[in-house]
Amino acid sequence: GWLQGRTVRKGGHSSSNSHTRSSTPQVQSTSTTIFGGGIKDPSGRTSEYFSMDDQCPVCKSDRYLNPKLRLLVSSCYHKMCESCIDRLFTLGPAPCPICNKVLRKLAFSPQTFEDLGVEKEVAVRRRIAKEFNKRLEDFDDLRSYNDYLEEVEDIAFNLINNIDILATEARIAAYKAANAALTSLNLQREEAEALALKEQEDLERREREARAAQLAQQEQQERDERQREERELIDKLETSQKDAHKIVAKSRIAAAKRSSARAASSSANSGLLGMSFGADYAKLLKTRTNKVTNNVPDEPHVPFQDDWYAYDDLYTVRVDGYDDIISEAVRKDREGIMRAGGYKVEEAWNRALLTAVAGLNVVPLSGSDQPKSLGDADVV
């Protein structure tokens, strides 16, 4: 027969997509240096961005000319291939060929996101989160906490957009020196919470496994019971002289009773299992350190109950009403169709009088130079 051959590109890209994201580079590294960094996924592997359209901005080499092309990102967030990095930075620190910032060879890291702006923002926020890790319970009120969050966002915005870098770094250094103890304490809290969360997930996993095992055991018992009942029914039909319909009906009634009894016992067992795991989780919560907070609760704002002046002493709504042509149709509506939405003529009169007396102290735009005082106003 014919020999069927297959061309294999070592380290090549096997998919038809032009953009991929994988846990390992799709091409072999051409450098002897092991570049670290990058953003790791929950499994601990570094996800590296890969594109067939990649091109080195320094030497203009692309993946068509160099199938083993691998681009890395510098600390100034400019991409270069490994060949350019080895050529420019092997002898020591050198300026970046794009922005002239002094770089080191080991400062390059794999690219995780397609957009380098996102790459920079993620790195900046990861750095800021390690230092600025205060919580709500570390402040006296919610307003102080919101001011702190706004300050953190200002610092992150300046670093991301290269605004006042020196002043921003000085702010970070001052905050780090003033809050070193609290930062360390919060790091310990985060580690304790992560450990407690892991223990809780382990408890839930064991509970699911125990319930699954219990359910499988119950199903196996039910299958064995049904087979036994079928054999007993067949034996009775073969040996008994009674009517077959009566034997089958009696067997079905007995099977239904046993099935209901098994369902009740299984629900009771599952409840006991849940109670046992609930007790374990309660013990886990008791072992955690209780948080001592000094929060001062903010008084909620209640609308229409503020201490404000409503000019109530300057007017009184007449009980017998007014000669109002606009509201005459509403007042004559005996069926209440026009008042179905809660409309009241008295509220309209009250609003009109309030608007009238509220403007008594306002200086007119034209006319008399002397404003009319409230004492000279006619009582409505």
Side-chain angles (χ1 to χ4, degrees), residues 233-251:
L233 179 59
I234 293 173
D235 294 339
K236 287 182 181 180
L237 291 175
E238 290 178 350
T239 59
S240 177
Q241 301 296 330
K242 297 181 181 180
D243 187 5
H245 293 287
K246 293 182 180 180
I247 295 175
V248 173
K250 187 176 180 180
S251 176

Side-chain angles (χ1 to χ4, degrees), residues 23-226:
S23 58
T24 57
Q26 294 289 330
V27 295
Q28 293 181 350
S29 176
T30 59
S31 175
T32 58
T33 305
I34 299 177
F35 296 95
I39 298 176
K40 297 182 179 180
D41 56 10
S43 62
R45 295 177 298 180
T46 301
S47 177
E48 184 169 349
Y49 175 76
F50 173 90
S51 174
M52 292 299 296
D53 299 331
D54 286 339
Q55 183 183 34
C56 178
V58 179
C59 64
K60 306 302 180 182
S61 177
D62 55 11
R63 206 168 295 282
Y64 177 78
L65 298 176
N66 183 12
K68 296 182 179 181
L69 179 69
R70 186 189 182 196
L71 298 180
L72 298 173
V73 182
S74 64
S75 58
C76 56
Y77 297 96
H78 293 132
K79 293 192 292 185
M80 276 177 272
C81 65
E82 290 180 321
S83 299
C84 292
I85 295 173
D86 290 338
R87 175 172 53 85
L88 296 174
F89 303 99
T90 299
L91 298 179
C96 173
I98 300 175
C99 65
N100 292 326
K101 180 181 178 181
V102 178
L103 303 176
R104 294 179 180 273
K105 186 176 181 180
L106 295 179
F108 288 83
S109 62
Q111 181 181 355
T112 305
F113 300 97
E114 179 180 2
D115 189 358
L116 292 180
V118 178
E119 189 94 17
K120 181 178 182 180
E121 182 173 356
V122 171
V124 169
R125 292 191 178 277
R126 288 178 62 186
R127 174 198 170 190
I128 294 299
K130 293 180 181 180
E131 302 296 339
F132 295 83
N133 58 358
K134 286 186 178 181
R135 305 184 178 190
L136 179 59
E137 55 264 24
D138 298 330
F139 297 88
D140 295 333
D141 52 8
L142 182 61
R143 180 60 180 272
S144 301
Y145 181 62
N146 290 333
D147 294 340
Y148 164 76
L149 294 180
E150 185 176 0
E151 180 184 2
V152 173
E153 286 298 321
D154 291 340
I155 293 176
F157 181 82
N158 292 343
L159 293 179
I160 293 171
N161 297 278
N162 297 325
I163 301 174
D164 296 334
I165 298 298
L166 296 179
T168 304
E169 292 291 347
R171 290 173 61 183
I172 296 175
Y175 174 86
K176 185 177 180 180
N179 300 272
L182 183 58
T183 302
S184 176
L185 178 61
N186 286 335
L187 288 176
Q188 295 177 3
R189 291 179 181 176
E190 292 177 359
E191 293 176 356
E193 290 179 356
L195 180 61
L197 180 60
K198 183 178 180 181
E199 292 177 355
Q200 179 183 354
E201 292 176 351
D202 292 340
L203 283 176
E204 293 177 353
R205 178 181 53 79
R206 290 198 298 268
E207 181 180 359
R208 289 193 300 268
E209 293 176 353
R211 287 180 178 175
Q214 182 182 8
L215 181 60
Q217 183 179 4
Q218 291 176 0
E219 292 177 352
Q220 183 64 33
Q221 291 177 355
E222 291 178 358
R223 285 193 295 267
D224 296 341
E225 188 70 20
R226 283 195 300 268

Side-chain angles (χ1 to χ4, degrees), residues 306-364:
D306 298 326
D307 187 12
W308 62 290
Y309 180 51
Y311 306 97
D312 298 336
D313 55 337
L314 298 182
Y315 69 94
T316 302
V317 181
R318 289 167 50 179
V319 181
D320 55 347
Y322 297 89
D323 186 10
D324 186 9
I325 301 176
I326 299 177
S327 63
E328 183 177 0
V330 180
R331 287 183 281 116
K332 290 183 178 180
D333 182 18
R334 296 182 180 274
E335 297 179 357
I337 298 176
M338 295 185 178
R339 297 187 297 272
Y343 177 77
K344 294 181 180 180
V345 181
E346 292 78 10
E347 292 183 356
W349 292 338
N350 186 35
R351 184 169 62 251
L353 294 173
L354 175 60
T355 304
V357 300
L360 293 178
N361 271 340
V362 178
V363 179

